[in-house]
Structures are given as C-alpha cells and as structure tokens.
Amino acid sequence: MQSFSKLVSTYNKAGLNAARITTVQVNVGLRCNLSCAHCHLGANSSRTEEMSWETMQLILDRVAVRKGLTFDLTGGSPELNPHLERFIKALTAMGQKVLVRTNLAVLSSKGLQHMVRFYRKHNVDIVASLPCYMEENVDAQRGNGTFLASLAALKKLNSLGYGTPNGPMLDLVFNPAGPMLPPDQMALEAAYKKELAERYGVFFSRLFTITNMPIGRFIEQLENSGEATAYTDLLMHSFNPDTITGLMCRHQICVRWDGVLSDCDFNQALELTTAHPAPSRIEYFEWSSIDNRPLVFDQHCFGCTAGSGSSCAGALVDAGDEVACAGG
C-alpha cells in the first residue's frame, strides 16, 4: 500500500508543512442530538466530553492574541456546550471572525431556540450540515424528523438575513451517504439552490461537498457491509496532486475539547497530535512553533486528496461534472 506521506512528497514538499495559520478549529464537545452514520467522532446524545471554560480561557489568552483569525467552532453539536455563548462573545469582542458548524436540527431543541438570534446578534457565520434537499434521504441518514427540524431552522436563519448578499454567511454541507466520492460541488450547489428555493422557499450562500473519511462510525459501517477495502482503494486511486497546496491542515490548527492539539479534526479522532516541535496541548501553545510546523499524515488523508479534494470548506479544485443530489 502506497504511503500518503511518501506520495505527497513526490509532488510537493511544501505540502508536508503548514503555512501561516489563519483558522483555529475548536471542537467544544462530543455531545450531539443526532447520531449520523458518517460521523467520524462517534458523537451522540450519551457522550459527556465537553470543553471546559478553563480550556476556552486558555484559547482566548494564548491563541486569540493573533488578529484576523477565523475560529471554526464544531462538535458534536456545539450548541450543547454550556459555555458556547460566553466563548463566542469573548471571541467577537476581540474582533475575531467566528463560524459555527451546526446540524440545524439542534436549533429547534428545547432551550436552544434562541441560538439563531444569538448568532445573528454576534454576526456568527453558519456552516450547516444538510446531506440532501429531499426529506426521505436526510431522515434515512440522520434520523426521522431531522429534515423538517432542519428546514425550520433554515427558514428562521433566512428570516434574520442569513444567506442574503448583505447578511452573514449560511453555508450548507453535503456528505455522500455511501462509499463514493462527492459529486461536483458547483453542479450540486446549483441543484440545491434550485430545489430548496422551489420546494421550500429556502436560500443559502454556498454548498460545501466533503468526502467521508474512512474512520470512526463510517468505517465501521463499511466494514460491516464488506465495502471498507473497496472504499479505501477508491480514495487512494483517486489521488489528485492538484489538491496538495490547498489542504486545510496547512492553514489551520485544531483544539480538541480537552485541549489536545492536532492538525485537523480527523487526526483528533485518531489521537494523532501535532508533531514536534509544535506543542501537543493548549497549555504550551506558542505561535512560533505552530506556523510552518511539520504535518502529521496517515492513510485516511487520501480522503482529502481524492477527486476534487475535500476540506472543511468543501472541494479544493473544480471538477465540472453535472450531478444531482446523491444522498440517501
């Protein structure tokens, strides 16, 4: 089996190191109101891991001193962390850009209905997971009733200006339902915009297509169905060297709920911490050893370089094939 690190180095040695970091992804906990089939972290309602305020304070003190960062807050469901609002207020007061990755359905949960207005008040951008524009496909992947709850949240976000030219960003995320690469991002975005507008009067800013990583709950599902080897082979054989320079790990650092540092959220799931000389915990964080650090790769990284590439902001290169919603 070809080593990912060795393959990357044959094309672009700069791809083996980070550049100057512009994004800090913070996983504030693994508790989630959903239990999605593709979740690489195994998040669900029974998980108790959550970031403490003390860890958030370390991020504010040591990380947010750099101006012009984007703080990408994720989970689980970030909204289920009791300190989230306080954390966002502190970040925005420092002038940092904040985006929250939400599953939408959580915004209809008891005690959390106010979060949409809170996000709007603090000019928080939203990245929302919606694996298809058809109810039956979304519910099959995420649970009965999820689509209608997500639709209600989208309409509320739209009513407050999200997704409009002058309002905060409202981006949607598509993950394939099975062992396949995502379709062309631009073509699928056009289909999403048409279908959501015509069916439900809903609009949004952009669509991101993200490849399912062969780890966590998704790889367990593939192993149970006997498709794991075929999927990992698909990722490897679809390697695209044009994606290397845009790999998200080159421009971000990730902080896990317990303060552990890693190059990306997928590495976090596999307990792959940052490499020396970068610190492995938030307590020892210094920008001088975070920028330009050597990156930690493993075989799952083929998921980020397959086809059009994949990152937390979607595809890395254009593909050009027209497709429709492939969720299910």
Side-chain angles (χ1 to χ4, degrees):
M1 179 180 291
Q2 174 72 285
S3 162
F4 182 84
S5 296
K6 185 176 181 180
L7 183 59
V8 168
S9 67
T10 64
Y11 287 97
N12 190 329
K13 292 187 181 300
L16 295 173
N17 284 74
R20 179 177 171 85
I21 301 306
T22 58
T23 298
V24 180
Q25 188 170 77
V26 182
N27 188 308
V28 299
L30 300 183
R31 190 153 52 104
C32 188
N33 57 309
L34 302 179
S35 184
C36 298
H38 64 274
C39 183
H40 61 282
L41 292 169
N44 58 47
S45 60
S46 66
R47 301 295 293 263
T48 59
E49 301 94 328
E50 68 179 23
M51 183 171 284
S52 66
W53 175 250
E54 289 73 22
T55 299
M56 291 180 179
Q57 188 65 63
L58 285 172
I59 295 172
L60 295 170
D61 293 342
R62 298 174 182 268
V63 182
V65 293
R66 172 175 288 183
K67 304 302 181 184
L69 293 168
T70 294
F71 280 82
D72 181 342
L73 310 185
T74 184
S77 297
E79 294 88 352
L80 296 180
N81 184 300
H83 311 296
L84 181 69
E85 293 178 57
R86 185 182 179 188
F87 190 42
I88 290 174
K89 287 178 181 178
L91 288 169
T92 55
M94 298 174 76
Q96 303 289 11
K97 179 181 177 181
V98 177
L99 68 85
V100 170
R101 294 182 184 271
T102 182
N103 62 43
L104 290 173
V106 72
L107 298 174
S108 298
S109 301
K110 183 178 179 181
L112 294 175
Q113 295 93 335
H114 70 286
M115 288 302 297
V116 171
R117 291 191 178 279
F118 173 83
Y119 289 152
R120 184 65 182 92
K121 178 180 179 181
H122 295 279
N123 204 37
V124 173
D125 289 339
I126 299 296
V127 179
S129 181
L130 190 71
C132 193
Y133 46 73
M134 294 185 287
E135 180 176 357
E136 60 271 25
N137 287 355
V138 173
D139 284 1
Q141 188 172 348
R142 314 190 76 184
N144 291 335
T146 302
F147 180 80
L148 292 180
S150 300
L151 188 62
L154 285 171
K155 289 184 175 181
K156 190 171 183 181
L157 287 163
N158 284 169
S159 72
L160 295 178
Y162 273 94
T164 63
N166 297 318
M169 299 296 289
L170 172 57
D171 298 321
L172 300 184
V173 172
F174 168 89
N175 291 86
M180 62 196 76
L181 296 182
D184 174 60
Q185 183 168 278
M186 292 182 64
L188 189 60
E189 177 181 286
Y192 260 70
K193 287 190 171 182
K194 178 179 182 294
E195 296 294 336
L196 287 175
E198 292 180 355
R199 293 171 185 244
Y200 312 108
V202 165
F203 45 91
F204 62 95
S205 305
R206 299 170 296 183
L207 179 75
F208 299 150
T209 57
I210 298 181
T211 301
N212 290 324
M213 292 296 125
I215 59 178
R217 196 175 286 148
F218 187 66
I219 195 63
E220 291 176 1
Q221 175 185 335
L222 295 183
E223 288 172 345
N224 290 336
S225 63
E227 299 173 290
T229 299
Y231 184 65
T232 54
D233 286 347
L234 170 66
L235 297 180
M236 185 180 300
H237 295 150
S238 302
F239 176 78
N240 182 352
D242 291 340
T243 64
I244 295 173
T245 57
L247 288 173
M248 60 185 176
C249 54
R250 300 197 65 234
H251 306 282
Q252 73 172 22
I253 186 72
C254 295
V255 188
R256 199 168 67 180
W257 62 271
D258 57 356
V260 171
L261 302 177
S262 64
D263 296 330
C264 73
D265 198 50
F266 305 119
N267 279 13
Q268 283 186 3
L270 294 172
E271 303 287 342
L272 298 175
T273 62
T274 46
H276 181 78
S280 61
R281 291 196 57 83
I282 189 63
E283 291 90 341
Y284 311 111
F285 189 97
E286 292 182 354
W287 277 115
S288 60
S289 56
I290 294 297
D291 291 328
N292 306 309
R293 70 189 185 278
L295 297 170
V296 178
F297 294 127
D298 208 333
Q299 295 305 91
H300 66 285
C301 299
F302 278 108
C304 289
T305 57
S308 297
S310 180
S311 74
C312 286
L316 299 175
V317 297
D318 292 333
D321 297 326
E322 289 199 13
V323 292
C325 178

